[in-house]
């Protein structure tokens, strides 16, 4: 998760919401990404989507079975579905997203997904929340 936090900080330095994602398999980092929505002018350039895409390229496959993903913020519905469709084994996330999160509140995307992904929430939650809070405080003032 610490590497995902570093990716979130890089995203913030680019002006994007500070969310980072890291994909790991057998203790090896396969891909990393930070949110690039603003940088790429692309509403689907979420950290999870980018990290999954890079991992798929690494494996030359449309799925990344056996991989785990670490994300600093609870994934939205789009990212949760991508996590399932790419057959990620486990999702670890930091901060809970009470507004847009789709893992721990409705619509519980992974509960209805074809591929079941194990979920662990609240990993280094305090650090992940702090990065997001500081970002939005700076944006508002």
């Amino acid at each position: 998760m610490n590497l995902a936090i570093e990716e979130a900080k890089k995203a913030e330095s680019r002006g994007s919401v500070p969310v980072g994602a890291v994909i790991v398999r057998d203790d090896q980092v396969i891909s990393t990404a930070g949110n690039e929505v603003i940088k790429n002018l692309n509403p689907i350039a979420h950290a999870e989507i980018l990290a999954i895409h890079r991992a798929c390229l690494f494996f030359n496959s449309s799925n990344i079975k056996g991989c785990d993903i670490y994300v600093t913020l609870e994934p939205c519905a789009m990212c949760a579905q991508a996590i399932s469709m790419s057959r990620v084994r486990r999702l670890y996330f930091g901060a809970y997203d009470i507004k847009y999160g789709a893992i721990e509140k409705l619509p519980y995307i992974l509960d209805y997904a074809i591929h079941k992904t194990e979920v662990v929430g609240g990993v280094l939650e305090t650090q992940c929340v702090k990065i997001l809070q500081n970002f939005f405080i700076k944006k508002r003032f």
Side-chain angles (χ1 to χ4, degrees), residues 3-4 12 24 29-30 32 46 65 67 74 76 80 87 95 121-122 133-134 139:
L3 189 52
E12 180 177 22
V24 175
V29 173
I30 303 301
T32 64
H46 290 200
K65 238 180 199 175
C67 289
E74 178 182 356
C76 68
R87 301 184 190 277
Q133 285 176 336
N134 289 342
K139 280 283 191 199

Side-chain angles (χ1 to χ4, degrees), residues 76-123:
C76 68
M78 174 184 69
C79 293
Q81 189 63 30
I83 287 166
S84 173
M85 296 296 285
S86 62
R87 301 184 190 277
V88 168
R89 178 178 57 184
R90 278 187 213 98
L91 160 65
Y92 299 91
F93 70 87
Y96 290 84
D97 187 341
I98 59 170
K99 197 169 186 180
Y100 300 110
I103 305 298
E104 296 293 331
K105 66 179 210 94
L106 291 175
Y108 301 116
I109 295 296
L110 294 181
D111 285 352
Y112 302 99
I114 294 169
H115 173 73
K116 297 300 180 193
T117 301
E118 295 176 43
V119 178
V120 178
V123 178

Side-chain angles (χ1 to χ4, degrees), residues 33-96:
N35 185 344
E36 294 185 7
V37 170
I38 302 299
K39 176 186 174 193
N40 293 343
L41 304 175
N42 182 350
I44 64 169
H46 290 200
E48 301 95 310
I49 301 293
L50 298 172
I52 289 168
H53 179 103
R54 292 170 186 165
C56 287
L57 292 175
F58 178 84
F59 290 115
N60 194 33
S61 175
S62 62
N63 74 61
I64 53 175
K65 238 180 199 175
C67 289
D68 300 331
I69 188 167
Y70 294 80
V71 187
T72 57
L73 180 64
E74 178 182 356
C76 68
M78 174 184 69
C79 293
Q81 189 63 30
I83 287 166
S84 173
M85 296 296 285
S86 62
R87 301 184 190 277
V88 168
R89 178 178 57 184
R90 278 187 213 98
L91 160 65
Y92 299 91
F93 70 87
Y96 290 84

